[in-house]
Amino acid sequence: MLLVTGGAGFIGSNFVVSTIAETGEAVVNLDKLTYAGNLRNLDAVRDDKRHVFIQGDICNQQLIREVLKKHEPRAIVHFAAESHVDRSIAGPAAFVQTNVVGTFSLLEEARAFSTGIVFLQVSTDEVYGSLGPQEPAFTETTPYAPNSPYSASKAAADHLVRAYHHTYGLRTLTTNCSNNYGPHQFPEKLIPLMIRNALAGKPLPVYGDGLNVRDWLYVADHCDAIRRVLEKGSPGETYNIGGGAEKANIDLVRTICALLDEASPRKAGRYAELISFVQDRPGHDRRYAIDGAKIARELGWRPRESFESGLRKTVQWYVKNRAA
């Protein structure tokens, strides 16, 4: 049995549903159900006895202690996090509370429960900072250099996870992933925001000059990689998970528009006509890129979806699920 935190969110719910479907392993799902958590993401396992949902806060150590004692999971897969950079700039306190204090609370209870339990920290490439156009991609040994309250809070959590392995012997694993996309993503994120705005005939706001570059990872591939790390990863190690698909934001948005022109044509004009450039976000990192050589070499994992196939699936899902 697994204990998954944040399992009603975008990546967490995809992980819960796909894990039960593909492995049959039971999952206890602990989620606070903040604005980004949605029980409809879990419709596929609503009546499945292998899925136990508990609404609760990861900062509540008493609750975590009770859950661990009752269900005795073999591993904690920790997705729960505040994750939107713009929100962290406007209100950093919630990010420190959830991402730092919440992770600390889980680590403390995991340590008290059993040093044999595996703690998998799901983190982000943003902890490494920003890359120049010609700099090599982030590796697991790239120094941390977070530039936003969000990435700083995730970096702090990652350091705690590392410390609990080296100090207390807790069996920890850390994954740092690139930008995820796919079904059930909260609409404030770039890809669902562009799709939903386009279908509604609203402007498609692109920060700055649109040349900020991100590496894109299809969420089903990410979930598959996490399972591989959980099963084969070495305790105390970090594994970077990327999609191998670096794209400038403006190119991504134009590709989305072209796919929408095929899937759901406008009555007049093309979707790209809705693109507008807006003032850049403060401290906006210029480029992220993940070097996935370690996880490929040591664990034999590579993404199954190309950027083109994954994005096409994603656009088609949002067109069919406009109210989701």
Side-chain angles (χ1 to χ4, degrees):
M1 175 176 284
L2 302 178
L3 170 58
V4 174
T5 70
F10 165 48
I11 306 174
S13 63
N14 275 280
F15 179 82
V16 168
V17 171
S18 61
T19 296
I20 291 173
E22 295 180 22
T23 73
E25 185 165 18
V27 173
V28 176
N29 183 352
L30 177 64
D31 196 295
K32 190 178 179 181
L33 292 182
T34 62
Y35 72 95
N38 188 344
L39 288 177
R40 288 180 297 174
N41 294 349
L42 298 162
D43 281 349
V45 293
R46 179 185 298 171
D47 300 317
D48 196 316
K49 293 181 180 179
R50 295 169 295 181
H51 177 242
V52 177
F53 180 78
I54 300 170
Q55 183 173 355
D57 190 340
I58 58 172
C59 295
N60 184 341
Q61 288 188 232
Q62 178 63 35
L63 173 61
I64 297 166
R65 189 175 309 133
E66 292 170 358
V67 171
L68 292 174
K69 182 179 179 180
K70 179 177 180 180
H71 296 282
E72 298 184 340
R74 67 181 181 92
I76 299 171
V77 185
H78 180 33
F79 292 96
E82 293 283 347
S83 65
H84 192 53
V85 174
D86 287 354
R87 286 178 181 264
S88 81
I89 294 169
F95 287 73
V96 173
Q97 182 67 18
T98 297
N99 299 353
V100 183
V101 177
T103 302
F104 165 75
S105 299
L106 286 165
L107 288 166
E108 276 288 276
E109 294 307 319
R111 176 171 71 95
F113 173 69
S114 168
T115 54
I117 194 170
V118 175
F119 188 102
L120 195 156
Q121 162 79 350
V122 181
S123 191
T124 171
D125 57 2
E126 296 192 37
V127 297
Y128 298 122
S130 183
L131 289 171
Q134 304 303 319
E135 288 185 272
F138 300 132
T139 70
E140 290 79 0
T141 59
T142 299
Y144 275 27
N147 291 320
S148 71
Y150 160 60
S151 57
S153 67
K154 290 296 288 186
D158 292 359
H159 289 319
L160 282 171
V161 172
R162 174 184 170 86
Y164 270 66
H165 171 71
H166 287 277
T167 302
Y168 302 115
L170 190 65
R171 294 170 59 83
T172 65
L173 298 159
T174 299
T175 59
N176 294 89
C177 69
S178 54
N179 281 34
N180 278 222
Y181 68 100
H184 300 294
Q185 191 167 21
F186 193 73
E188 70 187 359
K189 299 292 188 174
L190 179 60
I191 288 178
L193 177 66
M194 294 298 117
I195 297 172
R196 289 173 179 270
N197 276 19
L199 291 172
K202 297 179 180 179
L204 307 182
V206 176
Y207 279 132
D209 59 9
L211 297 181
N212 299 76
V213 174
R214 300 293 181 263
D215 176 24
W216 292 95
L217 173 66
Y218 190 60
V219 66
D221 280 335
H222 186 197
C223 293
D224 182 59
I226 290 171
R227 283 188 289 270
R228 184 71 59 88
V229 172
L230 189 61
E231 296 311 314
K232 296 187 176 183
S234 298
E237 289 294 310
T238 294
Y239 299 91
N240 283 355
I241 305 171
E246 285 189 62
K247 303 291 177 184
N249 286 348
I250 186 61
D251 294 333
L252 169 66
V253 174
R254 286 171 178 154
T255 302
I256 290 171
C257 290
L259 290 170
L260 284 171
D261 285 332
E262 295 177 16
S264 182
R266 298 181 71 195
K267 292 181 179 179
R270 303 178 72 83
Y271 286 104
E273 297 168 8
L274 299 173
I275 295 173
S276 64
F277 293 91
V278 298
Q279 184 176 355
D280 207 356
R281 159 197 294 163
H284 197 179
D285 289 336
R286 194 62 171 172
R287 172 175 168 251
Y288 304 143
I290 284 284
D291 183 338
K294 179 179 178 179
I295 192 172
R297 180 180 64 251
E298 297 186 8
L299 307 185
W301 181 88
R302 293 176 178 82
R304 298 175 184 174
E305 296 288 346
S306 68
F307 174 75
E308 291 73 21
S309 65
L311 189 61
R312 184 175 293 275
K313 286 181 179 180
T314 301
V315 168
Q316 291 172 345
W317 187 88
Y318 279 99
V319 169
K320 293 178 181 177
N321 297 272
R322 300 189 187 205

